[in-house]
Amino acid sequence: MMNLTRDDILKALSLVKVNEEEFLGRWVFINNASVFEGLVAVMLTQNTSDKVATRVYERLKGRLGSITPNTILSLSVSELEDILRPIGSFRQRARRLIELAIVVNERYGGSLEFIRSMSVNEAREILMSLPGVGPKTADVVLLNLGKPVFPVDTHIMRISHRLGIEGGYEKVSSFWIRLLNPSEYLMAHLGLIAFGRAICKSRKPLCSNCPLRVKCRYYMNINKANQ
C-alpha cells in the first residue's frame, strides 16, 4: 500500500452512484425496521446477492406481515424452507432463523431494541452471540444503527487486498475506521461495495478507469507481469 489517503478513496468513490435501496440491510433500516427484522434481513444477504435476498425478504414479509421471533416460529420448518428456497443452503438458513427466534425470545423477551442504546462493543458482543451472526452481519446492523463500525464484505475485502491492505476481517475493518471519519463510514461502506461491483470487479477489473491504480499493488503487479 502506497500512502493511501482519505482523499484518494473519496475521489474513487465519486465515480460510483450509491442507491441505498439496492442494499437490503440499509433499505429495511431506512424504513424503520426493528433491530430483529433488520438482523433477519442482513442474515438473508449472507453469501447471497442483494437482489435475491430482497426478493426472499419480501416473500417472508408478505407471508408474516411483521417479522418477529413469534411470527417466524409460527411457520413450520417446511414453510420457512419454501420461502427461503431461492437462497443457497435454504434448509440451513431456515434452521438458523428458527434458532435465532428461539434464542431472542428466551434471552431477550422477543426484542433486540435495547441494542440501540448500548455501546459498540457491548452491542457487538450481544449480536455475535446469536445463532448465525458473525462479525460482518453484526457490523452491518450496528452501522445502520449509527454505530462507528466498518463492515467488510467480499467486495471491500477484495479492494483492500488489491490495494495492499493485508489481514483478515478485523484488520481490514480497522484500517478503514482509521482512514475515514466516522460520519463517512456508512456511505464509504456502500460506496466501496458499489465500486467493487462496477470497477474493481473480481474478474476483469476496470483498472484504466480507477484513480487508485497509481497506488494499487494489484495494478502494479499486473504491469510488471506484462512488461
Side-chain angles (χ1 to χ4, degrees):
M1 181 176 55
M2 298 175 58
N3 301 317
L4 191 67
T5 68
R6 169 179 169 271
D7 287 343
D8 292 330
I9 297 304
L10 296 182
K11 181 179 179 181
L13 296 187
S14 70
L15 299 179
V16 294
K17 183 178 179 180
V18 172
N19 181 354
E20 294 180 74
E21 293 185 358
E22 293 179 356
F23 298 87
L24 177 59
R26 182 62 185 149
W27 182 77
V28 296
F29 279 107
I30 289 174
N31 286 279
N32 301 313
S34 69
V35 177
F36 180 82
E37 180 174 340
L39 174 58
V40 169
V42 175
M43 289 176 69
L44 293 178
T45 68
Q46 293 171 346
N47 301 311
T48 306
S49 72
D50 278 280
K51 285 185 178 180
V52 174
T54 297
R55 191 161 69 247
V56 171
Y57 165 81
E58 289 174 345
R59 288 179 65 184
L60 184 64
K61 181 86 169 175
R63 175 67 174 80
L64 298 180
S66 177
I67 297 177
T68 69
N70 284 338
T71 58
I72 285 178
L73 294 174
S74 72
L75 297 173
S76 68
V77 175
S78 61
E79 284 178 311
L80 186 54
E81 287 179 350
D82 186 61
I83 292 170
L84 302 183
R85 192 173 294 274
I87 293 179
S89 305
F90 64 90
R91 291 190 176 89
Q92 182 182 14
R93 304 280 193 117
R95 289 196 300 273
R96 281 182 182 171
L97 287 185
I98 290 169
E99 290 170 8
L100 174 70
I102 290 171
V103 168
V104 171
N105 266 349
E106 292 180 349
R107 290 186 194 169
Y108 307 115
S111 173
L112 294 174
E113 292 307 300
F114 65 94
I115 283 176
R116 294 180 186 270
S117 60
M118 297 182 81
S119 70
V120 173
N121 291 338
E122 289 176 319
R124 200 169 191 254
E125 185 176 350
I126 292 289
L127 287 172
M128 288 180 62
S129 73
L130 299 173
V133 180
K136 190 202 84 170
T137 297
D139 285 347
V140 171
V141 171
L142 293 174
L143 183 64
N144 281 287
L145 294 178
K147 307 292 186 184
V149 296
F150 201 95
V152 177
D153 82 326
T154 54
H155 294 288
I156 297 175
M157 188 66 77
R158 179 176 67 252
I159 293 167
S160 301
H161 287 171
R162 283 177 173 174
L163 289 170
I165 304 163
E166 298 180 346
Y169 184 95
E170 299 296 343
K171 285 189 176 181
V172 171
S173 176
S174 294
F175 170 85
W176 293 107
I177 285 173
R178 291 193 305 271
L179 186 71
L180 300 164
N181 298 326
S183 61
E184 297 166 336
Y185 292 169
L186 175 59
M187 293 314 294
H189 166 74
L190 299 179
L192 283 168
I193 294 173
F195 191 82
R197 290 171 176 172
I199 296 176
C200 194
K201 302 176 183 181
S202 177
R203 298 180 180 180
K204 298 182 179 179
L206 307 180
C207 297
S208 61
N209 295 348
C210 179
L212 298 176
R213 64 182 180 276
V214 295
K215 297 186 177 182
C216 178
R217 185 171 65 182
Y218 174 84
Y219 179 74
M220 288 186 291
N221 287 340
I222 287 178
N223 271 359
K224 286 180 183 178
N226 291 335
Q227 288 175 357

